[in-house]
Amino acid sequence: MTSTPIAKPETHVGAMPVLGLLGAMLSVQVGAAFAKGLFPVLGSEGTTVLRLAIGALMLAAVLRPWKVLPSRKSLPWLAAYGVTVCAMNMLFYAALQRIPLGICVALEFTGPLFVATLGSRRLLDLVWVALAVVGIVLLSPFADASRGLDPLGVALALAAGACWGLYIIFAQKAGAELGVRTSAYGMAIAAVLALPFGFSAAQPYLTDPHIMAGAAVVGLFSSALPFYLEMLVLARMPAKVYGMLVCLEPAGGALTGFLFLAEKLNLLQCAGIAAVIAAAFGAAVAARRPVPLPA
């Protein structure tokens, strides 16, 4: 995440940091798979509320954000960050309810990819943007009429990607003062903002041990565990290596969706995911800063 320590500039990296980052990415996707299992009961909105609330409690227990209070100067950036975290999670889960996990992650990933190349005047960066657009087209509902995706799901995933791009910008601004505690504050703000949208769906199940256990697993795998692993990894991994490895996120989503949710993709959809991964990888090679995993 952007609010975590900047990765080391060295070029050598051992096996453990790489495994740790891969574990963080896998954890995020497993959390999403568990969340999708809650949708039939809680809906995407109710699942989002519980995921944000439990994630906020876990991050608060680990980071103790009250030890560093935000100043008036950073409050607008922190508020914008919290709003973005809320919108990103709600849009992503709403999209995930309608389209496969791997495609959802790939479409969302285009947001930070465009941010990474924003303002660049290099022709090569335009190539990566064009390749990402090709991936989006291949993943669109119109690429394969026989197995067309839900257009609303695609639109929601792209909107979540736009929020991920804003998340990067706002996290940098708020994180300049609050450091790693930015995520704890942002998650708490996001949980409060999500209450009007999903609390009524979640409220009947707050005393159901099975549902709450599932929600706790989502909070653990989607928030606490990947954040902790990233904290360990970024202190030991060069920024460029981190940025390149994170580009495997859409592939991890597709694999997790296949293994845990029995979601099968056709050749065009696999090609679309591959195009997004290639575009993100190419942009990451030349990027100055790594693309962070979302809160």
Side-chain angles (χ1 to χ4, degrees):
M1 295 182 182
T2 319
S3 53
T4 48
I6 298 300
K8 286 185 175 182
E10 293 86 356
T11 56
H12 175 73
V13 58
M16 291 308 295
V18 172
L19 292 176
L21 180 57
L22 293 176
M25 291 189 292
L26 179 61
S27 178
V28 170
Q29 302 310 323
V30 170
F34 273 98
K36 195 162 187 175
L38 295 175
F39 289 168
V41 178
L42 298 173
S44 63
E45 296 88 353
T47 304
T48 303
V49 166
L50 292 182
R51 175 256 194 275
L52 289 173
I54 293 173
L57 290 173
M58 289 180 176
L59 288 178
V62 173
L63 298 177
R64 302 178 182 179
W66 53 85
K67 289 190 173 184
V68 179
L69 298 178
S71 66
R72 290 185 178 181
K73 183 179 179 181
S74 67
L75 276 177
W77 294 115
L78 185 59
Y81 175 72
V83 170
T84 305
V85 171
C86 177
M88 179 172 59
N89 279 275
M90 295 202 70
L91 289 168
F92 180 78
Y93 276 10
L96 188 58
Q97 194 172 22
R98 296 169 171 83
I99 60 178
L101 175 58
I103 294 176
C104 194
V105 173
L107 291 171
E108 186 194 31
F109 210 85
T110 57
L113 191 158
F114 288 132
V115 168
T117 57
L118 191 65
S120 174
R121 297 180 180 179
R122 295 179 305 180
L123 179 61
L124 187 59
D125 284 334
L126 295 179
V127 173
W128 305 133
V129 171
L131 187 57
V133 172
V134 170
I136 293 173
V137 172
L138 291 175
L139 294 172
S140 72
F142 315 105
D144 186 355
S146 63
R147 296 184 61 182
L149 297 173
D150 184 332
L152 179 58
V154 171
L156 289 169
L158 290 173
C163 288
W164 189 353
L166 293 174
Y167 162 91
I168 296 171
I169 297 171
F170 295 145
Q172 289 174 344
K173 297 292 186 179
E177 177 182 299
L178 298 171
V180 296
R181 292 178 173 87
T182 305
S183 293
Y185 278 113
M187 191 74 74
I189 294 171
V192 172
L193 293 175
L195 284 175
F197 300 97
F199 180 75
S200 60
Q203 191 270 335
Y205 301 96
L206 294 179
T207 57
D208 187 318
H210 298 289
I211 297 299
M212 293 308 296
V217 169
V218 173
L220 174 64
F221 281 94
S222 296
S223 299
L225 182 58
F227 181 86
Y228 176 74
L229 289 173
E230 272 206 311
M231 285 282 291
L232 297 177
V233 163
L234 282 179
R236 300 168 175 83
M237 177 177 288
K240 187 164 290 188
V241 176
Y242 172 90
M244 290 186 292
L245 286 175
V246 168
C247 298
L248 296 173
E249 188 85 5
L255 179 61
T256 304
F258 176 76
L259 294 177
F260 289 87
L261 302 172
E263 294 176 343
K264 297 180 180 179
L265 306 179
N266 60 32
L267 289 178
L268 279 179
Q269 292 166 345
C270 290
I273 291 176
V276 171
I277 292 173
F281 186 87
V285 169
R288 296 180 180 179
R289 296 288 299 274
V291 172
L293 294 175

